[in-house]
Amino acid sequence: MRRFDRIYLSPHLDDAVFSCGGRIRREVDNGLTVLVATVATADAPAAPSPLAERFHHRAGLAPPATPERRAEDRAAAAELGAELLHLGLADAVYRHHPRSGAPLYPSLASLLRRPHPADTAFDAALTEAVAALPERGLLLAPLAIGGHVDHRLTRRAAEAAAAESGRLELWEDFPYLLRWPGRGRRRPRGAGWRPYLATLPPAALAARCRAMAAYGSQVPLMFGDAGRMRRLVERTVERTGGERYWRPPPTTAAPEA
């Protein structure tokens, strides 16, 4: 199996590009091999929950919704020069209780809480899928700012996969860090984690914005329009100095990016 210098573990079909697109492009430009592995890429069920239907309607997505989103993901990755791996698991809004058949996450509020106790099959499948990812120099996963259940579970699986090697960094979820600044952890658990800023050359920042714009179904939902999206990205990068990541304690430090 091919080895990658970097694997970005993305909960959904946009998260890694929205949060890390500039660094991904910078790394590709510097000759590194980059894979974006996205967790929730399965088609919507034939009878989606009311919450899922509402999301589809607002995004202008026709059933089964996800093929269009996967196509957007391919266009975004092409803009950045990254490779893609779709893990084929179901989005939280598509998951149901194994006995009652009721949606596990019927509301936006339920998506931003701890995982449902009956969500064990997804958790196990995700842990197995992450453990089976190709060999890499560094794994990058969401910090889970905002508390979205899929982000929490993705981070947990990444931490388990990197427990021995320590080759893990956590990225700050955009635009969650703007919308819910007080929700979710703003820094990793445990002592010794260090923030790191990936500075972005103008070309990398521009490529990130172009790649984000490829998610035509999501940009209106998340930002209103592409112009406002670009202004928010540029303002955030200017304010912070780049894209912020968190590195583990020095005893298990990840390689320099």
Side-chain angles (χ1 to χ4, degrees):
M1 186 179 293
R2 182 182 175 188
R3 182 187 187 279
F4 289 88
D5 295 308
R6 304 286 186 266
I7 295 182
Y8 289 79
L9 187 58
S10 183
H12 304 109
L13 291 158
D14 59 24
D15 289 314
V17 172
F18 278 4
S19 301
C20 314
R23 175 173 172 175
I24 291 172
R25 180 55 182 266
R26 191 191 75 176
E27 289 174 338
V28 169
D29 287 345
N30 287 338
L32 299 183
T33 54
V34 177
L35 175 71
V36 176
T38 305
V39 173
T41 59
D43 287 349
S49 69
L51 178 64
E53 287 188 325
R54 190 155 64 247
F55 282 152
H56 295 171
H57 177 73
R58 292 180 58 198
L61 292 167
T66 319
E68 183 175 338
R69 296 204 60 197
R70 291 194 296 262
E72 293 173 346
D73 201 41
R74 289 191 291 270
E79 183 64 55
L80 298 178
E83 297 190 41
L84 285 180
L85 176 63
H86 291 161
L87 300 183
L89 302 184
D91 191 296
V93 297
Y94 302 150
R95 301 200 292 272
H96 292 77
H97 196 286
R99 291 191 298 276
S100 70
L104 288 177
Y105 305 99
S107 66
L108 178 59
S110 67
L111 287 175
L112 303 179
R113 296 183 187 138
R114 293 183 182 277
H116 192 288
D119 207 7
T120 53
F122 174 85
D123 192 18
L126 174 57
T127 300
E128 182 179 351
V130 175
L133 286 173
E135 184 182 353
R136 64 272 176 185
L138 179 64
L139 180 64
L140 298 100
L143 182 55
I145 293 172
H148 192 295
V149 61
D150 285 342
H151 291 231
R152 292 175 188 256
L153 291 171
T154 299
R155 170 179 166 177
R156 189 161 76 188
E159 289 175 331
E164 294 185 7
S165 69
R167 294 192 295 270
L168 174 69
E169 289 185 8
L170 300 177
W171 40 265
E172 295 193 343
D173 315 62
F174 187 89
Y176 290 91
L177 62 91
L178 303 179
R179 293 190 174 193
W180 292 286
R183 183 189 294 273
R185 300 186 65 89
R186 294 302 301 269
R187 61 184 301 136
R189 296 180 181 89
W193 285 79
R194 303 163 296 153
Y196 159 73
L197 280 175
T199 57
L200 304 183
L205 178 57
R208 171 181 166 180
C209 291
R210 290 194 301 271
M212 291 175 69
Y215 297 101
S217 69
Q218 303 304 300
V219 168
L221 283 176
M222 304 293 281
F223 304 100
D225 58 58
R228 184 172 183 272
M229 175 204 74
R230 185 176 60 255
R231 290 190 294 273
L232 285 172
V233 171
E234 292 172 347
R235 190 180 310 146
T236 302
V237 168
E238 181 179 6
R239 184 177 67 247
T240 60
E243 296 168 353
R244 185 182 291 113
Y245 299 82
W246 290 85
R247 287 175 166 166
T251 52
T252 57
E256 295 293 317

